[in-house]
Amino acid sequence: MGVKMERKDFTIQFGSLKEGFHDFKYQLNNEFFALIEQELIREGEVNVLLNLERSERHMSCNFTLEGWVLKTCDVCLSELQYPVKCVQHLHIKITDKEIEEEPELISVDSNAYELDLTNHLFDYVALSLPMKLECKDAINRKNCDEEVLEMLADSEDETDNSDHPEWQKLKEIFKN
Ligand SMILES: [Zn+2]
């Protein structure tokens, strides 16, 4: 142990894979998230099972991801262990022809022998997260921080300017 994680740890050497089914396991941890230049996810622990079917000109990959990443609650800013659970599919064509790539369909040319999955794996984790992250869905918390919620409610009251003299003046203007 103590060996630093590298992209090659998430690279399939498909050149030497026999036709048929193969299973691969990956663990995405803080070192993995540091391999990619991004600010979205710094910490987490996600287990990935890849079930790959190799045929002569294709590879069909089914990924099952399960674990968590460290994020902040969008409501109260508490630190959350946010669950990651998803299934993704990737179809890889081995061809020298240009194909139109899609999120689930990519190609590699016929003299390639390896495929780096690092970015794909990261995208799967990132895409599994909802637009709004809240304590109620987290692993390490159930509810938002009451104190923060109260503070937010108070500051909302303060920014309510409807009684402010300037606001009254504006209202007068719009009336006419
Ligand atoms: Zn919260």
Side-chain angles (χ1 to χ4, degrees):
M1 291 312 289
V3 180
K4 236 185 149 24
M5 234 176 224
E6 296 172 55
R7 278 182 171 259
K8 70 169 175 53
D9 297 322
F10 305 95
T11 297
I12 313 173
Q13 304 290 331
F14 63 82
S16 53
L17 274 186
K18 286 194 185 121
E19 286 187 26
F21 287 97
H22 304 270
D23 281 343
F24 299 91
K25 281 179 183 167
Y26 303 103
Q27 199 174 49
L28 316 184
N29 58 19
N30 303 357
E31 274 189 45
F32 169 82
F33 294 113
L35 291 174
I36 299 157
E37 234 176 274
Q38 48 90 26
E39 303 286 315
L40 205 62
I41 302 167
R42 296 283 183 87
E43 291 180 42
E45 215 157 292
V46 179
N47 290 311
V48 182
L49 176 68
L50 163 58
N51 181 251
L52 181 152
E53 187 184 11
R54 172 84 157 101
S55 50
E56 200 191 340
R57 311 300 286 169
H58 296 270
M59 283 183 288
S60 179
C61 300
N62 284 303
F63 298 89
T64 308
L65 289 82
E66 194 163 358
W68 58 269
V69 290
L70 203 66
K71 294 291 288 179
T72 40
C73 173
D74 286 326
V75 180
C76 72
L77 304 179
S78 293
E79 201 163 75
L80 304 182
Q81 278 187 311
Y82 206 87
V84 170
K85 198 170 182 176
C86 65
V87 173
Q88 291 283 351
H89 183 75
L90 182 65
H91 195 89
I92 302 145
K93 263 189 169 173
I94 303 165
T95 176
D96 293 323
K97 285 189 205 139
E98 290 260 334
I99 68 156
E100 206 166 310
E101 297 204 340
E102 292 164 35
E104 293 194 4
L105 174 67
I106 60 169
S107 68
V108 290
D109 57 61
S110 58
N111 47 32
Y113 56 92
E114 60 176 24
L115 178 68
D116 181 356
L117 292 173
T118 310
N119 290 348
H120 290 278
L121 292 170
F122 176 76
D123 287 349
Y124 295 157
V125 174
L127 289 170
S128 80
L129 299 173
M131 289 290 286
K132 192 172 184 185
L133 303 168
E134 291 183 73
C135 290
K136 66 178 174 64
D137 304 316
I139 293 168
N140 60 329
R141 301 178 62 90
K142 282 280 162 281
N143 299 302
C144 280
D145 189 323
E146 290 287 342
E147 274 178 41
V148 176
L149 290 186
E150 271 168 40
M151 263 166 53
L152 287 172
D154 286 350
S155 68
E156 258 169 43
D157 289 345
E158 275 164 32
T159 51
D160 181 4
N161 291 327
S162 53
D163 294 330
H164 197 275
E166 291 294 321
W167 183 246
Q168 295 297 341
K169 254 190 254 171
L170 274 178
K171 271 204 259 183
E172 286 301 314
I173 293 166
F174 282 117
K175 242 192 261 174
N176 301 326

